[in-house]
Every structure is written in C-alpha cells, then in structure tokens.
C-alpha cells in the first residue's frame, strides 16, 4: 500500500457547547479517492475547514506528509498543496471565468508568477473542466453547475497534491453529476489524492474505494462501500430506520 | 494597449495646456489632478481590495504636516518627501495590523476614528503650530503663473506614476489577490493568498501616494491647519469620485475626479451652504443609476437599456 499523505489524530472542534467534530482519526493514502459521508450537520464541512486551516482545532493534530499542518495559516496550507472547493460556492464575482482560475495559478503550488504563465495554465484547466468556451464571461452570469466547475477549476489551478471536494455533486442533475464524476476520476488518474465529502451516499460509492461515516461529529464507521452499506450502525444512524426496515424486508 | 490611447491623448493635452490657461483654470485643473491622484490611491484599498478606508485623508494630512514642519526647519521640499512617505507607510502598517482585521462598516468607522484622533493630536502639537496651523516657505519663480504651473506639473507627474502602478496592478498577481480579497476573504485564503499581508501592502501603497499628494498640497497652498488637511469631507470626496467614475478600474477614479471637481467648482461655489445636500444627492444617484460607475456605462457604447436596467435592479 502507498504511504499516508494526510493524517488526523483526535481531531476535535467545539462551537461553544456543540461538539461539531469529535476526536476523529483518519489516514488518507496517496493517490486514493477517499469518501466522507454523513447526514446534514454531521460535521463534514467543519472537518474540511479544520484540515485547510480555516478554523482552528479545539484539540488534536493533522499532518500532511508527516509535516504538522494544524496551526498553520490557510494560505500556507494551500501553498503546501492542499486545495478545497466550497459547498456554498464562492466565485470571485466581478471577475471572468479565466481570471477566477488564474487566481489559483498565481497563488498555488505551481507558483506561476507572470500573467502569461498563469493565463496559459488557467486555459489548460478551463479546457479540462469544460469551461474554455466561457472563459471571458463574468462568473456572475453562470449557473450552479458551472459554478461548481469554477470551484473545481480554481482548486485544480493550485496544482494540489490533495484535493478536498465539499459536496460538488449537490444540486446537480444526474447528467451533470455523471460528468463531474468522470472529471474527478480523470483528476485522480493524474495522481491527485481526492477527499470527497457528500451527504448523498450514492455519489461517493461509485468513486471511492474507502470511506468513513460521520454522525454528530463522531466517526461511526470506516471501510469499503460494501462494508459501509452493510454496517448496521450506519444504516440506522445515517440512512434512517425506515431504510433499514426496507432492506430487511427486501 | 488600445484602451490606453485615449488617456494618453488627454495626457499630451494636459502637458501642453498650462501656458494657454488663465490662473483660474490652472488652479481648477491642478485641483482636479490632485483629487484624481488621491482617488486613484484610495481605489487600491477601497476599490480593488474592498476595504472602505474612510479615514484615508489622515495620510494626506500627515504628508502635509511632515513637509510643512521640515521645510520650516530648512529642509528642501523634495527631501521632505522621503520622511513624508515613510511616516505614512509606517503609520498605515501599525494601525493596519489591528484595524484591517475589521471588515466592512467596522473598518470604515475605525479608519475614520484614526483620522479624527490624529487630527486632535496635531491640534495640540506645538511643533506643528497646534490649531493655528503652519505657514510654509513660498516657492520662488519668474511669475505667479510659472509657480502655479510648477505645482500643476508636479501633481501631474505623481498622477501618471499612480496610474502606471494601477495599470501594472491589473495584470499582476498582487492585483488578482486584492480583487479576490474584496469578493471573499475566506475564498482568498483557501486559494493561497496571504490576505493580512496583501491588505497591509494595499493600504501602505494607498497611504504613500496620499501622503505625497499631501506634501505637494502643503507647499502649493503654503498654509495648512488641522481642520483643512484632516477634513473627513476630503475622504468622502475621494470615495464619491471613485464610485462615480468606477471603482477598481484604472481610469474610473480619474473620470470621477473630473466630474465631481467640475461640479464642485461650477455649481457648488454658488451654493456654498448646500454642499452636503449636493454631495449626498450625487452619492444616491450614483448608487442607483450607475452602481459600477460612469466608465462602465460607456464601455461598449452608451446604452439607455443599461441605465434603465440599473435603476430597476437598485431601487428597493
Ligand atoms: N461557525 C460555526 N459556528 C457554530 N456552529 C457551527 C459553525 N459551523 C458549523 N456549525 C455547526 O456544526 C455542526 C456541523 O456542521 P457542518 O460541519 O456544516 O455539517 P455538514 O457539513 O456535515 O452538513 C452543525 O450543527 C452546525 O450547525
Ligand atoms: Mg457541509
């Protein structure tokens, strides 16, 4: 098996009395697509914010290739090679598609300092995610599916080693979902480790070989999609009693 | 390159114009150029980076005072520019560290508070002439017209430098970083942008040019007091000019400065007691009619449709 690229030990986040992430351990291996699932409010986005440094940890440690990153600034973590997309898309409004992607190229791991270099890199990525035709349009005029691609493209422009996707599938129709899944496969094939957060189990099942389940901030299961879908606790907690009963009667 | 041709034409015109101007028009144009530079400078922090620096005039006043005090101690004008720039830059960094953590209105109010505080300090500072102000040595020249032309060109050189910087910024990663910060600071952080550093640099830059203009202003007018050079209305004017012409564009601030200074001179001077009302009306009309500024209305040809659309979008 390949080496661990991202490691968490006892990762905890409290908001006042609420424990949003409760002593979660994880090991993500280089080159894999790792899934994190859990119902709304399970703490998935919070965990991602902890990894990229947008929130300080209450307790625990996170390592990227044996370098401790918990406590580092988000921009340093991004430059080390960890990029993320936002569940609630955050396009840079007032800028064009290509300019949005260029931000990633300028400030990422690749460190393209000249306008020309950054632009060329951004154009390559625009082609990859299927936004090349729209490159001169203001992002203000794009629809949700296109904005999700902007999120992806900007993160890719950072040339990350680890890419964290926060519900890139949410709000998309099945056809668009299929396209994004292919895109994620393609990105992963280029050697990028992908962490996919979804609350729709199905979206992750087809992509990940390994996944973990969060419920009220706690990791309740970890394993292959088959193991997860058989796990009684997951079925009860995450999929709900009704689904469990239906499975038994089926 | 093309979009810089018309401005370049105007620049040539501005360079050859002074010998043909009356003293009155020379003074008005000098004022326009001065405000254009101030607005170009505030545009970096307030326009590109989106931090509404309502107290930016504090750097203008600092520059003016550093030059006034030092010239009264025998320093030559150009020599005073170095401490003028240094004091504004250092001050902006020191207060920027805490104040730039605030966002939106909070930052605007805090920066205004800093301005008022500094004004009060200078008001009580013996070496700066306290509330009575300071007189500066007069610039000597062959004729009054030559002296006034001298200041006109001095301001013009600084304006050109600040415009060149903004043009560079548009295509530079620093500019991309600031524009990202304006829209979404968390997004910018996640994209690897060192936002605290970038904001500080943006404000320091803004402070530097504002202070240089303040220095030249003091020498030009040759008398300053705290009430005039720390006047918050000057910041408001910079803001209105920026919005009027078009924030975070290279030439918007210049257009805004021309429009508002001309309105000021030609209209307001006749109705001195309603300055505030006129300024307020211009702000409201700008925000409703041309939220992206005058420049935007005319890029790609003037269209009534866009104007009507703006009204529809911005009326409650
Ligand atoms: N900044 C915050 N302040 C307070 N509570 C928060 C904050 N962010 C998230 N939470 C809470 O933490 C819990 C986990 O939220 P989140 O991580 O967004 O869940 P998920 O992404 O799995 O839907 C929720 O109960 C949410 O209300
Ligand atoms: Mg979430």
């Amino acid at each position: 098996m390949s080496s661990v690229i991202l490691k968490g030990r006892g990762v905890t986040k409290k908001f006042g009395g609420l424990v949003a992430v409760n002593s979660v351990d994880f090991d993500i291996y280089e080159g894999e697509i790792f899934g994190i699932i859990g119902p709304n409010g399970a703490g998935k986005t919070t965990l991602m914010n902890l990894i990229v440094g947008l929130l300080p940890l209450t307790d625990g440690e996170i390592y990227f290739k044996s370098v401790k990153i918990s406590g580092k600034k988000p921009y340093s973590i991004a430059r080390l090679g960890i990029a993320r997309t936002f569940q609630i898309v955050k396009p840079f409004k007032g800028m064009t598609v290509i300019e949005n992607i260029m931000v990633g190229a300028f400030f990422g791991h690749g460190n393209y300092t000249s306008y020309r270099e950054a632009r060329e890199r951004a154009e390559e990525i625009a082609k990859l995610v299927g936004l090349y035709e729209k490159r001169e349009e203001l992002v203000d005029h794009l629809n949700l599916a296109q904005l999700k691609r902007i999120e992806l493209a900007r993160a890719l422009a950072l040339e990350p080693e680890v890419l964290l996707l926060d519900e890139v599938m949410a709000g998309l129709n099945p056809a668009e979902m299929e396209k994004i899944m292919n895109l994620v496969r393609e990105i992963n094939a280029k050697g990028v480790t992908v962490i996919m957060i979804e609350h729709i189990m199905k979206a992750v099942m087809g992509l990940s070989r390994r996944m973990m389940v969060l419920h009220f901030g706690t990791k309740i299961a970890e394993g292959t999609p088959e193991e997860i879908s058989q796990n009684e606790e997951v079925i009860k907690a995450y999929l709900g009693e009704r689904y469990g009963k239906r499975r038994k009667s089926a | 390159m093309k979009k810089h041709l018309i401005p370049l034409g105007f620049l040539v015109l501005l360079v050859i114009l002074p010998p043909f101007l009356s003293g009155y028009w020379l003074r008005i144009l000098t004022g326009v150029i001065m405000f254009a530079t101030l607005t170009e400078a505030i545009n970096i922090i307030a326009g590109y980076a989106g931090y509404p620096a309502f107290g930016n005039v504090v750097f203008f006043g600092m520059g003016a005072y550093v030059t006034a005090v030092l010239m009264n101690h025998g320093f030559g004008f150009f020599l005073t520019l170095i401490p003028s720039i240094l004091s504004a830059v250092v001050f902006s960094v020191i207060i920027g560290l805490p104040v730039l953590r605030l966002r939106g209105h909070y930052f605007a109010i805090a920066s205004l508070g800093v301005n008022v505080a500094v004004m009060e300090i200078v008001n009580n500072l013996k070496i700066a002439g306290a509330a009575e102000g300071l007189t500066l040595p007069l610039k000597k020249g062959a004729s009054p017209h030559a002296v006034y032309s001298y200041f006109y060109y001095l301001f013009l050189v600084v304006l050109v430098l600040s415009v060149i910087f903004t043009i560079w910024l548009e295509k530079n990663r620093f500019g991309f970083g600031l524009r990202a910060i304006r829209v979404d600071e968390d997004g910018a952080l996640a994209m690897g942008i060192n936002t605290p550093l970038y904001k500080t640099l943006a404000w320091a830059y803004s402070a530097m040019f504002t202070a240089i203009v303040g220095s030249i202003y003091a020498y030009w007018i040759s008398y300053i007091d705290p009430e005039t050079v720390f006047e918050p209305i000057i910041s408001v004017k910079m803001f209105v000019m920026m919005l009027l012409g078009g924030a975070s564009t290279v030439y918007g601030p210049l257009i805004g400065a021309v429009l508002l200074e001309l309105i000021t001179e030609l209209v307001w001077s006749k109705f001195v007691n309603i300055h505030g009302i006129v300024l307020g009306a211009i702000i409201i009309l700008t925000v409703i009619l041309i939220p992206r500024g005058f420049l935007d209305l005319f890029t790609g040809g003037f269209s009534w449709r866009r104007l009507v659309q703006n009204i529809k979008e911005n009326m409650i």
Side-chain angles (χ1 to χ4, degrees), chain B residues 17-30 144-146 148-149 152:
Chain B
L17 215 49
F20 310 102
L21 290 175
S22 69
Y24 172 77
W25 277 105
L26 192 58
R27 184 179 65 73
I28 302 248
L29 261 188
T30 307
H145 199 275
Y148 288 126
S149 300
Y152 171 98

Side-chain angles (χ1 to χ4, degrees), chain A residues 15-16 18-21 38-47 49 55 87 166-167 197 199 214:
Chain A
F15 294 114
L18 173 79
V19 188
V21 176
N40 273 328
K44 304 180 298 293
T45 299
T46 304
L47 178 59
N49 284 333
L55 285 173
Q87 178 178 358
D166 195 354
E167 306 212 11
I197 291 183
H199 79 272
L214 287 183

Side-chain angles (χ1 to χ4, degrees), chain A residues 12-13 16 36 43 50 69 72 79 81 83 86 92 114 124 138 153 170 178 201 212 224-225:
Chain A
T12 301
K13 180 68 190 180
I36 302 178
L50 296 173
I69 55 167
K72 281 193 193 292
R79 284 189 186 193
F86 287 94
F92 296 128
S114 84
E124 285 168 29
L138 283 180
E178 189 59 40
M201 210 175 193
M212 72 175 179
T224 63

Side-chain angles (χ1 to χ4, degrees), chain B residues 31-48 53 56-57 60 159 162-163 166 205-206 209-210 213 233-261:
Chain B
V32 170
I33 294 169
M34 180 181 96
F35 266 103
T37 316
L38 290 175
T39 308
E40 196 75 10
I42 205 173
N43 186 33
I44 304 299
I45 182 73
Y48 284 96
N56 241 31
V57 71
F60 178 84
L159 174 63
S162 73
V163 170
T166 313
Y205 166 83
S206 198
F209 267 90
T210 309
V213 173
I233 285 288
I234 298 178
S235 294
V236 175
K237 270 178 86 173
M238 297 178 205
F239 244 86
V240 177
M241 287 168 172
M242 179 182 79
L243 295 175
L244 191 61
S248 53
T249 60
V250 175
Y251 295 113
L254 314 189
I255 294 169
V258 171
L259 290 176
L260 192 68
E261 256 323 80

Side-chain angles (χ1 to χ4, degrees), chain A residues 54 74-75 78-79 84 86 90-95 99 102-104 106-107 111-113 115 154-155 158, chain B residues 170-174 176-177 179-196 198:
Chain A
L54 277 179
Y75 49 85
R79 284 189 186 193
R84 61 94 49 97
F86 287 94
K90 291 177 181 289
F92 296 128
K93 288 195 179 161
M95 293 166 82
E99 285 176 334
M102 282 174 71
V103 173
F106 271 130
F107 293 97
N111 223 16
Y112 299 91
T113 44
Y115 182 87
R154 280 193 324 196
L158 287 167
Chain B
E170 287 255 298
K171 298 270 172 189
N172 183 274
R173 81 191 248 176
F174 183 50
F176 274 75
R179 286 155 78 195
I181 287 171
R182 175 189 55 204
V183 182
D184 192 313
E185 228 163 310
D186 277 349
L189 280 168
M191 296 307 288
I193 298 167
N194 186 339
T195 56
Y198 270 52

Side-chain angles (χ1 to χ4, degrees), chain A residues 30-230:
Chain A
E30 206 173 330
E32 74 172 329
I33 301 181
F34 186 80
I36 302 178
I37 61 169
N40 273 328
K44 304 180 298 293
T45 299
T46 304
L47 178 59
M48 176 175 286
N49 284 333
L50 296 173
I51 294 172
V52 301
L54 277 179
L55 285 173
L57 281 75
T58 309
D59 209 353
E61 277 151 10
I62 301 171
Y63 296 86
F64 172 62
K65 297 199 281 195
S66 75
V67 177
K68 189 176 162 194
I69 55 167
S70 40
K72 281 193 193 292
K73 300 282 184 218
Y75 49 85
S76 312
I77 295 174
R79 284 189 186 193
L80 278 175
I82 301 178
R84 61 94 49 97
T85 64
F86 287 94
Q87 178 178 358
I88 299 161
V89 291
K90 291 177 181 289
F92 296 128
K93 288 195 179 161
M95 293 166 82
T96 62
V97 167
I98 202 75
E99 285 176 334
N100 263 265
I101 306 174
M102 282 174 71
V103 173
F106 271 130
F107 293 97
H109 204 38
N111 223 16
Y112 299 91
T113 44
S114 84
Y115 182 87
R116 242 264 227 57
E117 283 174 339
R119 175 141 188 135
E120 278 166 10
R121 184 71 190 114
E123 282 177 357
E124 285 168 29
I125 290 164
K127 277 180 198 151
L128 178 72
V129 302
L131 283 171
Y132 189 70
E133 272 67 47
K134 299 249 171 225
R135 66 190 180 282
E136 299 302 341
E137 273 183 41
L138 283 180
V139 289
D140 310 43
H141 307 314
L142 300 184
N143 62 34
L144 182 67
Q146 290 163 333
L147 289 175
K148 297 254 172 176
R149 280 163 192 266
I150 289 278
E151 284 286 329
L152 251 175
R154 280 193 324 196
L156 284 177
L158 287 167
E159 305 199 341
E161 291 181 52
V162 178
L163 177 61
L164 293 92
L165 306 176
D166 195 354
E167 306 212 11
V168 277
M169 310 283 195
L172 301 187
N173 65 37
E176 291 163 346
M177 249 193 228
E178 189 59 40
K179 282 187 201 151
I180 295 280
M181 279 168 83
N182 287 334
L183 193 54
V184 171
R185 273 194 203 98
E186 203 175 325
I187 291 161
N188 179 245
K190 287 180 198 283
V192 180
T193 307
V194 178
I195 301 177
M196 272 194 96
I197 291 183
E198 290 292 339
H199 79 272
I200 319 166
M201 210 175 193
K202 213 178 66 193
V204 194
M205 292 288 190
L207 283 171
S208 309
R209 289 310 307 142
R210 281 189 339 117
M211 53 205 293
M212 72 175 179
V213 185
L214 287 183
H215 187 51
F216 290 124
T218 308
K219 182 166 87 176
I220 58 166
E222 185 170 356
T224 63
E226 295 75 39
E227 286 163 0
I228 296 292
S229 56
Q230 314 279 311

